[in-house]
Amino acid sequence: MKRSRYVLLLAAFLLLAVQGRAQQGATSDAANGIAFFKGTFGEALAKAKQENKPLFVDFYAVWCVPCKKMAKTVFTQEEVGKYFNEHFISLQLDAEKGENVEIARNYKVAAYPTVAFIAPDGKALSVNTGAMDKDELMEAAKIVAGERVSFEELYNKYKADNSDLDVQQQLLLKAPSFLQAQEGMEADKWVTRLQKLYKNYIAAKAPLKLINENDYKIILTLEGDEDKEHKQYVIDLINDHLDDWTKAVGKAPSYYIVEANDLLAEDLAKDGNAKYKEYVEKVKNQYAKAYGVVGLKGITPYEKSRLYFDALYNLYKNKDVDGYVKAMQIFFGKMEGNLRSADYGKAAQNLYMAAGKSLKSKDHEVAIQWAEKALAQEDAVMDRVNYMVMIGDSYRELKNYAKAREFYNQAFAETLRLENMEMPQAMLQGAIKQKLSTLELLEK
């Protein structure tokens, strides 16, 4: 069962699923780099039609660090500038400003940086999400320019010979950017095709031929959470040859195993399914080497997992709030020196998620304590706003309306720090204003 986390505005946080925190601009000013067109998207597209060239668009947000890095370290390179200035009309768009918001939405821009290659008629040729280095950007550009094999050409090669694993690897590496440029039923069709190809590819190369950086990248981008049986298969593939994976890729595969196993255990515990214990046992047995990368002090990964997931299961299955609070206090004591602000924040969120309106006054007092500890250690504005609103909500339930107002106002003031994040700021401020309005009604 899927559950949404108890947060102020999930939609606002999803906007932050983008890759970055803060930046002051994303412009390329090197004389030898890309010469970006100065004008609107419509004007740039008209120029692309006039010169019969594709349009290259860098969709950025002013707060996005990877956007700034690409602008300064990739777009400014002489080789990049020479090629792009010859083959494309290039444009940079602040995707959160004015009419650019709708343009970005039309090209399914959901994270930053995103760079898109667009035909003169406005059709997306290639949409690429995430920071790219020079070689990756040049490869994407040369595919659009017809100097490299395109996705469609690779797919035709694959259909002609579905046993060529090199072609399949190239195809799967290009799949994310290709899929992002597809729409509607066409996109659904390609997702189905590529998921089948991906699973067949993994099976054909498993276990040893998969151990390389490109195939790890394919797994990261194409192995979703929907097919839990296949994901478990991939986790075990990596774990069974973890030493070889570590030599080839580093510690990343270990973290992949840890995060995936923890997520499976958490989902089951929240569903009240005792099968979560099987995944906890894997922490000290099957996946012990992978969990060794976590580097805890004073507590083993197994003890940490057992304490946390047992408490979570009891809360969701039995609605035992008192037992959960006691278990989490023990957990915090054992985890001293390893705790992050998010640990206290998640503990408070789970109280709201599992018990909600049935929480008693003493439970809200505990939630306030935990959220305040999270707040004291947290610097990220969005998380601070979330914790402040959580505290305000608890004070509201305690009928301490003055304190509730104080924290709602603090949360609103905190959003002012998001001056370069207009959309998330507006959404958060709107939600906080609504809470303040509700508070006024309660005070009457």
Side-chain angles (χ1 to χ4, degrees):
M1 181 186 299
K2 293 184 178 179
R3 292 184 174 87
S4 59
R5 296 185 185 281
Y6 183 89
V7 292
L8 169 61
L9 263 184
L10 183 59
F13 280 90
L14 287 176
L15 284 170
L16 290 191
V18 293
Q19 319 280 316
R21 287 282 182 182
Q23 96 149 353
Q24 298 302 313
T27 58
S28 171
D29 55 5
N32 296 325
I34 297 177
F36 285 101
F37 178 78
K38 304 299 181 184
T40 66
F41 177 82
E43 292 167 344
L45 195 60
K47 185 173 178 62
K49 290 179 182 177
Q50 181 183 4
E51 299 189 15
N52 195 29
K53 293 180 178 179
L55 179 64
F56 168 70
V57 183
D58 168 36
F59 290 99
Y60 72 90
V62 294
W63 47 268
C64 166
V65 170
C67 301
K68 182 177 182 180
K69 184 176 181 181
M70 278 191 73
K72 289 191 173 183
T73 65
V74 179
F75 298 159
T76 55
Q77 293 192 38
E78 184 174 357
E79 180 184 351
V80 173
K82 182 177 180 181
Y83 191 84
F84 275 71
N85 294 340
E86 179 181 349
H87 292 87
F88 304 99
I89 301 301
S90 300
L91 177 71
Q92 288 184 302
L93 284 185
D94 179 350
E96 296 186 341
K97 184 177 181 181
E99 67 177 11
N100 298 343
V101 174
E102 185 62 28
I103 294 168
R105 186 179 297 117
N106 289 340
Y107 291 101
K108 297 190 290 186
V109 176
Y112 307 109
T114 289
V115 297
F117 295 89
I118 300 168
D121 64 0
K123 181 181 178 181
L125 300 172
S126 173
V127 181
N128 306 267
T129 299
M132 305 172 79
D133 61 23
K134 183 201 75 173
D135 292 339
E136 290 170 331
L137 183 63
M138 290 292 288
E139 175 71 11
K142 288 179 179 180
I143 289 172
V144 172
E147 297 179 15
R148 292 284 191 275
V149 179
S150 69
F151 181 89
E152 290 89 343
E153 290 171 322
L154 279 172
Y155 190 74
N156 288 334
K157 282 188 176 182
Y158 160 70
K159 287 197 298 183
D161 179 7
N162 61 12
S163 64
D164 191 331
L165 293 176
D166 289 335
V167 169
Q168 292 180 42
Q169 185 187 65
Q170 293 178 58
L171 194 60
L172 292 170
L173 285 168
K174 295 179 189 295
S177 61
F178 173 79
L179 285 174
Q180 196 168 350
Q182 307 309 304
E183 297 181 354
M185 293 180 64
E186 192 69 15
D188 294 339
K189 178 180 71 177
W190 278 108
V191 167
T192 301
R193 286 176 178 172
L194 289 168
Q195 277 297 313
K196 182 178 179 181
L197 170 58
Y198 164 73
K199 290 178 181 178
N200 289 339
Y201 175 78
I202 295 294
K205 294 189 74 172
L208 299 178
K209 291 182 180 179
L210 283 169
I211 304 174
N212 59 79
E213 290 187 1
N214 280 332
D215 284 334
Y216 184 65
K217 183 177 181 180
I218 288 171
I219 289 170
L220 283 181
T221 55
L222 297 181
E223 184 62 52
D225 296 322
E226 294 81 11
D227 189 341
K228 294 188 184 301
E229 183 177 345
H230 192 267
K231 183 155 191 174
Q232 187 66 66
Y233 167 69
V234 170
I235 294 167
D236 290 339
L237 272 181
I238 295 173
N239 187 71
D240 290 346
H241 301 275
L242 189 56
D243 288 340
D244 293 326
W245 276 100
T246 302
K247 289 177 183 177
V249 185
K251 294 181 179 180
S254 290
Y255 285 109
Y256 181 84
I257 293 169
V258 169
E259 290 171 6
N261 191 63
D262 283 354
L263 183 60
L264 289 167
E266 183 170 3
D267 285 346
L268 289 166
K270 287 182 176 180
D271 284 342
N273 188 333
K275 192 176 179 181
Y276 80 93
K277 295 180 181 179
E278 296 178 15
Y279 294 89
V280 172
E281 290 304 305
K282 289 181 179 182
V283 175
K284 70 172 181 179
N285 298 321
Q286 189 176 354
Y287 301 152
K289 184 174 290 186
Y291 274 85
V293 304
V294 177
L296 297 175
K297 298 177 181 178
I299 187 173
T300 66
Y302 172 71
E303 188 177 8
K304 174 195 172 185
S305 297
R306 183 175 55 78
L307 286 170
Y308 178 71
F309 292 119
D310 284 353
L312 208 59
Y313 173 79
N314 186 38
L315 175 64
Y316 281 86
K317 175 69 173 179
N318 303 318
K319 306 303 178 186
D320 182 2
V321 175
D322 289 342
Y324 174 74
V325 170
K326 290 177 182 177
M328 289 307 296
Q329 298 291 18
I330 294 172
F331 175 79
F332 291 143
K334 294 276 189 179
M335 282 286 289
E336 188 176 4
N338 302 294
L339 288 170
R340 303 164 301 163
S341 61
D343 294 317
Y344 287 110
K346 282 180 67 176
Q349 287 172 357
N350 280 317
L351 277 177
Y352 294 117
M353 288 167 61
K357 292 292 184 180
S358 66
L359 291 176
K360 300 174 182 177
S361 295
K362 62 184 179 65
D363 304 324
H364 280 291
E365 290 170 357
V366 170
I368 289 171
Q369 292 174 14
W370 289 347
E372 285 182 333
K373 287 183 178 180
L375 183 61
Q377 300 176 32
E378 185 58 68
D379 295 323
V381 175
M382 295 293 288
D383 291 327
R384 287 181 58 80
V385 171
N386 184 45
Y387 296 143
M388 288 174 182
V389 170
M390 287 171 60
I391 295 169
D393 286 349
S394 278
Y395 275 123
R396 183 191 63 202
E397 295 302 314
L398 291 170
K399 294 183 169 45
N400 189 337
Y401 299 137
K403 291 294 287 185
R405 181 177 298 280
E406 176 186 334
F407 276 93
Y408 288 153
N409 285 332
Q410 284 184 30
F412 191 91
E414 194 77 16
T415 66
L416 299 177
R417 294 172 57 192
L418 303 171
E419 57 183 348
N420 290 326
M421 299 169 62
E422 296 174 4
M423 289 176 62
Q425 183 187 62
M427 293 175 69
L428 289 168
Q429 290 179 348
I432 294 169
K433 286 178 181 178
Q434 187 173 9
K435 287 180 177 291
L436 286 166
S437 297
T438 301
L439 201 59
E440 288 180 4
L441 295 174
L442 292 171
E443 289 175 319
K444 290 181 180 179

